[in-house]
Amino acid sequence: ETGVTQTPRHLVMGMTNKKSLKCEQHLGHNAMYWYKQSAKKPLELMFVYNFKEQTENNSVPSRFSPECPNSSHLFLHLHTLQPEDSALYLCASSQGLAGEGTQYFGPGTRLTVL
Amino acid sequence: EDQVTQSPEALRLQEGESSSLNCSYTVSGLRGLFWYRQDPGKGPEFLFTLYSAGEEKEKERLKATLTKKESFLHITAPKPEDSATYLCAVQGQVDYKLSFGAGTTVTVRA
């Protein structure tokens, strides 16, 4: 595997389900990010991790819970989601401290909440 | 707060018909301006970073330029494979977060 990978690529869940999104970067980067992309809207930054430590929570509802066990892996745990949470969820990584390098993105997880 | 506005929202071109995309921005001290390409159902793919006014970068049929208020992405003699959404983002000196525009969707017809 190369670059940034995300699984699953597609996810359909009910509002009462609990699921997790996984991201893995194979670039040796130190910073990782979660973004939300809704149709016709700019990418919205959700969370930022530097060397496994969360440095940013961009006013994200608590039904989204990130986890970063090491610099290569990032998870987004989902529970009690709403239909308006349906979107493309993108993971990105960058070299050095958050913001110091170019961000490289994974292919995204297309989430549909019924 | 940093702001990015991209225009037009959509652009339909005939193969070989050159055109330009605009990215207007306001930022408290520019750290970098980034261009990405995004294909449907995929993540953004990095194209260029521009750091200062007057800077230009090229990659195949794409050329990005930067002024103090805006950036242009010029597409020369486009081909159908250039069809994609092009995203612009800025990063300020104060806040490391990337602020993205909504994108320009380019469709190139053969």
Side-chain angles (χ1 to χ4, degrees):
Chain A
E1 293 279 14
T2 59
V4 181
T5 58
Q6 292 186 241
T7 55
R9 294 295 312 278
H10 301 272
L11 179 63
V12 179
M13 58 186 292
M15 289 191 286
T16 58
N17 292 158
K18 291 185 180 181
K19 296 287 184 183
S20 296
L21 309 184
K22 178 183 176 182
C23 173
E24 184 173 1
Q25 59 94 0
H26 309 267
L27 301 169
H29 290 168
N30 301 313
M32 297 188 77
Y33 312 77
W34 279 117
Y35 286 88
K36 175 183 179 181
Q37 187 176 33
S38 303
K40 304 294 185 183
K41 292 177 67 176
L43 271 71
E44 302 172 48
L45 180 65
M46 301 176 70
F47 301 104
V48 182
Y49 278 82
N50 251 331
F51 294 96
K52 307 187 301 177
E53 300 298 320
Q54 186 179 128
T55 59
E56 183 79 28
N57 177 338
N58 207 24
S59 301
V60 179
S62 60
R63 57 186 183 269
F64 295 91
S65 175
E67 178 190 359
C68 188
N70 55 60
S71 295
S72 298
H73 294 85
L74 186 63
F75 295 88
L76 188 62
H77 303 299
L78 316 172
H79 66 95
T80 324
L81 293 191
Q82 305 298 312
E84 58 265 29
D85 297 322
S86 298
L88 183 67
Y89 288 84
L90 293 162
C91 174
S93 70
S94 66
Q95 183 60 282
L97 297 177
E100 288 188 346
T102 298
Q103 294 183 26
Y104 293 89
F105 287 83
T109 294
R110 172 66 62 185
L111 173 67
T112 303
V113 181
L114 301 176
Chain B
E1 185 176 322
D2 301 342
Q3 290 195 333
V4 179
T5 302
Q6 291 187 248
S7 61
E9 185 175 321
L11 188 61
R12 293 177 64 86
L13 300 172
Q14 199 68 32
E15 184 172 4
E17 178 189 1
S18 301
S19 189
S20 296
L21 285 56
N22 178 265
C23 172
S24 297
Y25 65 90
T26 56
V27 64
S28 50
L30 181 68
R31 189 169 191 173
L33 183 140
F34 300 80
W35 282 100
Y36 288 86
R37 169 194 169 124
Q38 186 173 24
D39 293 306
K42 296 187 177 181
E45 175 189 346
F46 171 70
L47 293 174
F48 306 109
T49 308
L50 302 168
Y51 295 102
S52 58
E55 189 175 0
E56 300 181 352
K57 288 195 177 174
E58 287 188 67
K59 180 179 180 180
E60 296 181 357
R61 294 175 293 283
L62 301 177
K63 179 180 177 180
T65 62
L66 181 66
T67 72
K68 289 186 177 180
K69 294 183 179 180
E70 56 192 352
S71 176
F72 293 93
L73 184 65
H74 308 278
I75 310 179
T76 302
K79 298 182 178 182
E81 51 262 44
D82 295 322
S83 297
T85 296
Y86 292 86
L87 303 175
C88 172
V90 296
Q91 188 178 53
Q93 294 284 358
V94 175
D95 190 338
Y96 59 78
K97 290 185 285 189
L98 285 184
S99 296
F100 280 85
T104 295
T105 299
V106 174
T107 304
V108 183
R109 296 166 292 174

